[in-house]
Amino acid sequence: AQSVTQPDIHITVSEGASLELRCNYSYGATPYLFWYVQSPGQGLQLLLKYFSGDTLVQGIKGFEAEFKRSQSSFNLRKPSVHWSDAAEYFCAVGPLKAAGNKLTFGGGTRVLVKP
Amino acid sequence: DTEVTQTPKHLVMGMTNKKSLKCEQHMGHRAMYWYKQKAKKPPELMFVYSYEKLSINESVPSRFSPECPNSSLLNLHLHALQPEDSALYLCASSQAGTFPNQPQHFGDGTRLSIL
């Protein structure tokens, strides 16, 4: 079965500092990987996705993520954090075709931004 | 602005009430989803519709009844809910069928409170 682990429940970062969120997955084949962000009171917004090809993918809002097959990781990064980046971030894998369009989410990482 | 619209944004209901949540998208997506999200947790999949037919039911209690009247609309009918059903209910849509790598687009959700 596929699974996703986000080891950090909370991360606090100063505005202007860099940010890295970790994501590790367990999957039997080449995964489809996603990062979503959820601001308070809102739904999930797609930041970026990886299916194949270049292992460094660029997303919206200045985010990027790097797929490392050898480490089963898909970490999210941003060079300089803005106060508006304070939110919950979810890594997700899937969907398994055999299981329908079903995403498996990590537990999430809450990012707090200090002024 | 999200391309998946959910109404109402907030709903308070008693345990004996009957209400419905609505979701609409005009992106031509043929897969639509209902998720339940408790505070500080990732979304949990409830139902998936593919080409207006129910394809996944994640063993959801019968007091939740989904309906997909056409390719743009998704409803969730609620009856005799329990206090533990209080949560954020998210709707999502995506390409269906042979496009398992297409990301899901989420609405902002309905915040449901059961008295």
Side-chain angles (χ1 to χ4, degrees), chain B residues 4 21-22 30 35 41-42 44 50 77:
Chain B
V4 177
L21 309 185
K22 297 185 183 302
R30 302 301 295 277
Y35 288 86
K41 296 291 186 182
E44 299 173 18
S50 183
H77 303 297

Side-chain angles (χ1 to χ4, degrees), chain B residues 25-50:
Chain B
Q25 58 88 16
H26 295 288
M27 293 179 282
H29 291 166
R30 302 301 295 277
M32 296 187 76
Y33 313 77
W34 280 116
Y35 288 86
K36 173 183 178 181
Q37 186 180 26
K38 302 287 277 187
K40 300 183 181 181
K41 296 291 186 182
E44 299 173 18
L45 184 65
M46 300 174 71
F47 303 103
V48 180
Y49 273 82
S50 183

